[in-house]
Amino acid sequence: MADPTPDSPSTEQKKDELPAIPDALPVLPLRETVVFPVAITPLAVGQERSVRLVEEAMRGNHLICTVAQRTGDTPATSFDELYRVGTASLVHQLFRAPDGSLRILAQGLARVRVREPVQTEPYFVARIELLPETETAGLEAEALSRAARDLFTRLVALIPELPNEIAAAIDGLSEAREIAYQIASTSPLSAAQRQELLEMDSVQERLRRLVDLLQHELTVREMGRQLAQETHQEMTKAQREYFLREQLKTIQRELGEEGGGAAEFQEIEQRLRELVAMPEEARKESERELSRLRHLPEASPEHGLLRTWLEWMVALPWGKTSGGAIDVTRSRRVLDEDHYDLDQVKDRIVEYLAVKKLRDERAAKISLTGAGEAGRAAIAGPLPQTPRDESRREPLLCFIGAPGVGKTSLGVSIARAMGRKFVRISLGGVHDEAEIRGHRRTYIGAMPGRIMQAVRRCEVSDPVFMLDEVDKLGVGFQGDPAAALLEVLDPAQNWAFVDTYLGVPFDLSRVLFICTANSVETIPPPLLDRVEVIALPGYIEAEKLQIARRYLVPRSLKAHGLNEGELMIEDAVLTRIVREYTREAGVRNLERNIASIARKAARRIAEGAAPPVVARAQELKAYLGAPRFFNELAERIDRPGVATGLAWTPTGGQILFVEATMMPSQEERLILTGMLGDVMRESAQAALSYLRANAMRLLVDPTVFEGRAVHVHVPAGAIPKDGPSAGVAMIAALASVSSGRPVRNDVAMTGEISLRGKVLPVGGIKEKVIAAHIAGVRKVILPRRNEGDVEEIPEEIRRELTFQFVDSVEEALAAALVPPPERGLGAPPPPEAELQVH
């Protein structure tokens, strides 16, 4: 440091000789520093304007105003960047450094407020006003002063940078104001905390705040020292254990006895050598991590993480396959053995297997007739690290259907037909993308995602992999699992799928992925775009009977310990179960009812009854209780105002009754009940509007709606209902109640209507028609544009039903309503209808 300049003032100047403070002073901005009254603070001045300010102050009265900046990132350029409360300070000494900067000692004189700027160039000058301080005496002030001194003394003992002489000097102070300022200027406080203390007018409040800050800092310092001591002890213990283990290894080597750790390393290394199909990238990473593991002490937390990761790497089926040559004829035979009907689905699966067989055989011929021994060696080597040929992409099948129609069992049959292993995971409720991609290795308890876990379990790289319930994927704050699943299913990416935990690519292109879902609507659109949808409709009665006889009954006998012939179930029993005890698209409830009969038969035999036990139709109530379903059409469609509609649900088709009535009311209005959604509400409003606008053409008295409220109700009010297919049923119910003509009790209908009277096409025709057939309907009214969908309906149902295709509301009502009596157009309804209306 340079010597003092000749014009430096003497440090022997007394306090009572300090000059008076004028009302305007040059302002010296300070960064991360606050000068307190009474205290002497060393300052470094490096800015050119600040150096000039200090030099001119030294040539004058040595007085400046020190004010802290609000932010300490850059030098202040305006008064707005400064606090309004600062300190009038006296510069005692000035040292000039070789680089041109200044080192000064500034003694705070009094707190001041910056009132208004006077100049900003070449440096800041502002008008100031002195801020008075309210100092109170008494026991509280004395207690606060003593507490501050005691805390500061304890803090000095914990901070090596603070000499003990500072604590002794503060112990010699008696004035509360001086104690507060001296401790605040010396303690390790932030600039914001010091500025807060400076701006306080009450000495007592300043001391109280200072005690809080000192107590907090003291607690943090003591806790830090305690943690440091504990860490030092732990490190000492770990080092001692490390040295002892190294000595133990040396002794074991001398005795020819290798430890368990060395044997474990050799086992992992041997398994790595045996994985000849492991890609080079994965091999290098495994060998690098194995080398790291050898040098890590077993007490290290990373030792367990690396060992688990290496165990995963050597356990994965790198290049190991199970599928043999595909026999298309045998595959069709296997599918027929495992599933009844589903001919279209079976044909699509057989087509896929045939394409795969031809493709694999021709690829093998090209490989054998290629580039000789070098080409065959390349083919037999590690898995390729370049994208697969676009023409070799596997199709992604997605089975859509109601529960119990055989989606999962189809996947099992495909695996058996191809000679591959079958693996299944359920995605219902998954809302974390780490469930698919895996967790980072740095997390405690990290593990690969479900995809790689399933591949490891099946021990081959070409299984038939079923992703169940893809329509029930959730989205949480952990990410979107559907987006992560796209990488798994996309053939352009899954040849090098990287699990986050493993960190190296794994070839999933040989895996045959099959998805299942109950509904197409809830499958994420990007995921739906990657798959080929194959719909599995519900079974009709005849199909259920065949499935029960061929599959369900033998399975239930075996599951309940019954031999063949010990339980005889008549066909009439199975027919009644289908009609009166189950209403479903699949066969799960049918299987449960058969299992219930098998349990009761097993109990009888166990109690001593001689087999066989015969389940007869007249005894069915004793086995299963009272029937749960019956033909509702005859009971419900017995008066005007009730129509039978058809609805589609994720569990199959369903009949839907629409009821309408009218009542006197001061206000003509439409009442809708039955938990209807917005679409069905709009359909009801459109139906009523069209009916009133075209009453004469529809054989309805136009005055029947005057002074009446119309109420439309769809029973089962606790179940939400919505969809664009109830318009025809609603206008049929409204036309029936307003004209007094009942709807035919053997007719069901579906379709949407427009305000122009057009009948619009709808979806789910096959499921709806099957539901109508089960309910005993004999005639179905459909939109004409759905005529092509009837071809998908089984031939047995088409022979027993009559289909009426309509384009307009007039055609639909003519087919649905009972013909009117000879009363003429617009005649009032008959007395029965009047009773219903009023």
Side-chain angles (χ1 to χ4, degrees):
M1 183 173 291
D3 294 332
T5 57
D7 56 345
S8 297
S10 172
T11 58
E12 298 178 356
Q13 191 174 13
K14 306 297 184 183
K15 289 183 180 180
D16 54 1
E17 297 176 359
L18 297 178
I21 300 175
D23 62 348
L25 284 177
V27 177
L28 177 63
L30 303 179
R31 284 190 286 181
E32 301 297 332
T33 304
V34 177
V35 177
F36 288 96
V38 180
I40 297 178
T41 306
L43 301 175
V45 181
Q47 293 294 324
E48 181 180 351
R49 59 193 303 169
S50 300
V51 170
R52 183 172 178 181
L53 181 150
V54 173
E55 289 176 344
E56 293 190 8
M58 295 301 294
R59 289 194 290 269
N61 58 7
H62 297 191
L63 292 176
I64 61 174
C65 179
T66 55
V67 182
Q69 294 182 195
R70 296 185 183 274
T71 59
D73 299 336
T74 58
T77 58
S78 67
F79 278 93
D80 293 337
E81 301 177 32
L82 305 177
Y83 286 104
R84 289 307 181 194
V85 177
T87 306
S89 304
L90 178 65
V91 180
H92 278 294
Q93 290 184 357
L94 181 146
F95 298 90
R96 194 177 303 276
D99 60 356
S101 62
L102 302 180
R103 305 293 186 268
I104 64 174
L105 291 177
Q107 178 186 359
L109 301 180
R111 298 186 313 124
V112 298
R113 183 186 301 279
V114 179
R115 294 176 53 194
E116 58 184 7
V118 175
Q119 69 178 41
T120 57
E121 296 297 339
Y123 48 80
F124 293 157
V125 178
R127 296 191 184 278
I128 63 172
E129 63 175 348
L130 296 177
L131 293 177
E133 294 184 305
T134 58
E135 184 172 0
T136 59
L139 294 177
E140 185 177 0
E142 183 179 355
L144 288 172
S145 300
R146 184 174 300 176
R149 281 198 300 263
D150 293 343
L151 290 172
F152 182 72
T153 301
R154 293 169 58 189
L155 189 60
V156 168
L158 294 175
I159 303 177
E161 296 82 5
L162 296 180
N164 295 330
E165 290 78 4
I166 296 179
I170 292 180
D171 281 340
L173 299 177
S174 59
E175 186 179 351
R177 174 175 175 272
E178 292 184 359
I179 293 173
Y181 283 140
Q182 290 290 358
I183 294 178
S185 63
T186 312
S187 300
L189 304 178
S190 65
Q193 291 171 340
R194 293 184 177 182
Q195 182 66 28
E196 178 188 0
L197 294 172
L198 180 65
E199 293 182 359
M200 289 183 175
D201 295 330
S202 172
V203 176
Q204 189 169 330
E205 292 298 327
R206 186 180 299 121
L207 278 172
R208 183 176 288 106
R209 176 58 176 158
L210 184 60
V211 168
D212 292 340
L213 295 174
L214 290 176
Q215 184 66 56
H216 174 76
E217 186 67 23
L218 183 63
T219 303
V220 173
R221 296 275 180 172
E222 289 178 344
M223 187 178 297
R225 185 175 66 172
Q226 181 181 358
L227 291 175
Q229 291 175 351
E230 294 176 356
T231 304
H232 177 72
Q233 294 174 359
E234 291 294 332
M235 288 296 294
T236 304
K237 180 181 178 182
Q239 292 171 357
R240 181 172 176 272
E241 291 178 354
Y242 173 76
F243 289 128
L244 290 175
R245 287 193 181 94
E246 292 298 322
Q247 292 176 4
L248 178 61
K249 292 178 182 178
T250 303
I251 295 173
Q252 288 174 341
R253 281 195 298 268
E254 293 293 334
L255 296 175
E257 300 175 357
E258 292 189 349
E264 181 183 10
F265 297 150
Q266 289 184 356
E267 180 185 357
I268 294 177
E269 190 174 9
Q270 176 64 25
R271 294 176 67 181
L272 277 175
R273 285 196 297 266
E274 294 173 356
L275 294 173
V276 294
M278 176 181 280
E280 191 63 25
E281 179 181 352
R283 184 179 300 279
K284 289 181 178 179
E285 184 68 17
S286 300
E287 292 174 350
R288 181 165 49 249
E289 296 294 358
L290 179 59
S291 177
R292 286 184 57 209
L293 183 62
R294 292 181 187 274
H295 297 86
L296 281 175
E298 294 185 7
S300 172
E302 196 174 3
H303 184 278
L305 297 177
L306 279 180
R307 184 182 60 191
T308 304
W309 182 83
L310 284 168
E311 289 174 353
W312 268 98
M313 292 295 290
V314 298
L316 289 175
W318 300 96
K320 184 179 179 181
T321 59
S322 62
I326 298 176
D327 187 341
V328 177
T329 304
R330 176 182 174 276
S331 300
R332 179 63 192 225
R333 185 171 63 253
V334 168
L335 293 174
D336 289 337
E337 290 174 358
D338 294 347
H339 295 84
Y340 178 78
D341 197 50
L342 300 178
D343 291 331
Q344 293 182 354
V345 178
K346 294 176 184 177
D347 290 341
R348 176 63 188 89
I349 294 173
V350 172
E351 290 169 3
Y352 161 75
L353 297 178
V355 171
K356 181 173 179 56
K357 174 182 174 64
L358 295 178
R359 187 179 58 197
D360 292 346
E361 290 177 351
R362 293 175 182 176
K365 290 180 180 179
I366 294 174
S367 301
L368 293 175
T369 59
E373 294 296 331
R376 286 192 290 273
I379 294 171
L383 296 179
Q385 293 300 298
T386 56
R388 297 276 177 183
D389 183 5
E390 294 290 330
S391 63
R392 301 197 63 187
R393 290 188 175 186
E394 304 280 3
L396 303 175
L397 306 180
C398 183
F399 297 147
I400 305 292
V405 296
K407 300 185 293 296
T408 302
S409 58
L410 268 176
V412 176
S413 298
I414 293 173
R416 189 161 75 92
M418 298 178 67
R420 295 192 185 186
K421 289 190 175 182
F422 177 78
V423 62
R424 170 188 173 273
I425 63 173
S426 177
L427 300 178
V430 173
H431 58 274
D432 185 357
E433 69 174 23
E435 295 284 338
I436 307 298
R437 285 201 177 103
H439 304 80
R440 296 186 182 275
R441 260 195 287 171
T442 54
Y443 296 159
I444 297 176
M447 59 191 309
R450 294 192 181 190
I451 302 298
M452 299 310 300
Q453 291 182 40
V455 170
R456 178 187 178 180
R457 286 197 306 270
C458 68
E459 299 179 344
V460 292
S461 62
D462 64 340
V464 175
F465 203 125
M466 176 158 285
L467 302 171
D468 210 359
E469 298 179 333
V470 295
D471 58 332
K472 297 178 178 62
L473 285 170
V475 179
F477 65 90
Q478 300 95 339
D480 185 2
L485 203 59
L486 294 179
E487 183 181 357
V488 177
L489 298 179
D490 191 352
Q493 304 179 54
N494 64 8
W495 63 272
F497 172 70
V498 178
D499 187 275
T500 305
Y501 177 81
L502 299 176
V504 294
F506 187 89
D507 187 4
L508 293 177
S509 62
R510 291 179 170 85
V511 178
L512 173 59
F513 287 104
I514 299 176
C515 303
T516 70
N518 297 131
S519 174
V520 177
E521 285 74 12
T522 52
I523 299 177
L527 188 59
L528 183 62
D529 183 60
R530 297 295 199 280
V531 300
E532 177 184 345
V533 174
I534 298 180
L536 277 71
Y539 298 107
I540 62 175
E541 180 179 309
E543 294 171 344
K544 289 182 179 180
L545 293 177
Q546 291 293 333
I547 293 172
R549 180 58 61 193
R550 296 185 184 187
Y551 306 105
L552 304 184
V553 172
R555 188 188 305 170
S556 293
L557 293 178
K558 183 178 180 181
H560 294 85
L562 298 174
N563 296 323
E564 184 178 358
E566 290 185 336
L567 172 63
M568 307 293 293
I569 301 179
E570 296 179 349
D571 289 343
V573 172
L574 297 177
T575 302
R576 285 193 59 187
I577 293 176
V578 171
R579 292 178 179 177
E580 301 176 7
Y581 291 87
T582 64
R583 283 281 176 90
E584 56 176 346
V587 292
R588 285 185 181 171
N589 287 328
L590 175 59
E591 185 174 11
R592 293 189 184 104
N593 284 283
I594 294 174
S596 179
I597 295 176
R599 286 194 301 270
K600 291 178 172 57
R603 177 180 176 180
R604 289 186 183 181
I605 295 176
E607 291 175 347
V613 175
V614 181
R616 295 182 172 85
Q618 57 269 26
E619 301 173 352
L620 189 58
K621 187 174 181 180
Y623 285 104
L624 303 178
R628 298 179 180 86
F629 303 99
F630 53 90
N631 190 348
E632 298 179 277
L633 295 179
E635 178 182 345
R636 296 225 184 185
I637 312 299
D638 61 350
R639 66 193 65 188
V642 184
T644 305
L646 298 174
W648 179 92
T649 69
T651 58
Q654 184 178 351
I655 62 171
L656 196 70
F657 295 100
V658 179
E659 302 176 351
T661 187
M662 292 191 296
M663 65 203 79
S665 175
Q666 295 180 354
E667 178 185 0
E668 297 180 7
R669 59 196 178 103
L670 175 63
I671 303 172
L672 300 174
T673 55
M675 283 197 72
L676 306 182
D678 293 337
V679 177
M680 291 190 70
R681 288 177 173 273
E682 293 173 358
S683 297
Q685 185 63 61
L688 180 60
S689 298
Y690 182 81
L691 183 62
R692 298 191 66 174
N694 302 272
M696 293 295 294
R697 289 197 300 116
L698 300 177
L699 304 181
V700 175
D701 183 4
T703 62
V704 74
F705 299 100
E706 296 177 359
R708 293 189 176 98
V710 179
H711 186 177
V712 176
H713 176 66
V714 182
I719 302 174
K721 312 171 190 70
D722 202 8
S725 63
V728 172
M730 287 187 171
I731 198 168
L734 291 171
S736 173
V737 72
S738 59
S739 65
R741 298 162 56 191
V743 179
R744 299 179 185 270
N745 60 8
D746 60 347
V747 173
M749 61 204 75
T750 184
E752 188 56 286
I753 65 172
S754 69
L755 286 177
R756 298 181 299 121
K758 299 291 292 182
V759 177
L760 307 178
V762 294
I765 296 298
K766 183 176 181 180
E767 292 80 0
K768 294 176 180 178
V769 171
I770 291 176
H773 178 264
I774 294 174
V777 171
R778 292 294 173 262
K779 183 176 183 180
V780 180
I781 300 174
L782 299 175
R784 187 171 300 278
R785 289 172 60 183
N786 286 118
E787 188 171 357
D789 298 328
V790 176
E791 298 177 0
E792 300 179 1
I793 301 172
E795 181 65 27
E796 297 86 349
I797 295 180
R798 283 187 286 172
R799 287 198 301 265
E800 297 181 12
L801 293 180
T802 302
F803 297 97
Q804 178 76 42
F805 301 101
V806 297
D807 275 326
S808 63
V809 171
E810 287 84 352
E811 294 180 61
L813 295 182
L817 301 181
V818 173
E822 295 297 333
R823 293 180 294 109
L825 293 179
E832 295 82 5
E834 289 294 335
L835 290 176
Q836 174 69 17
V837 172
H838 296 290

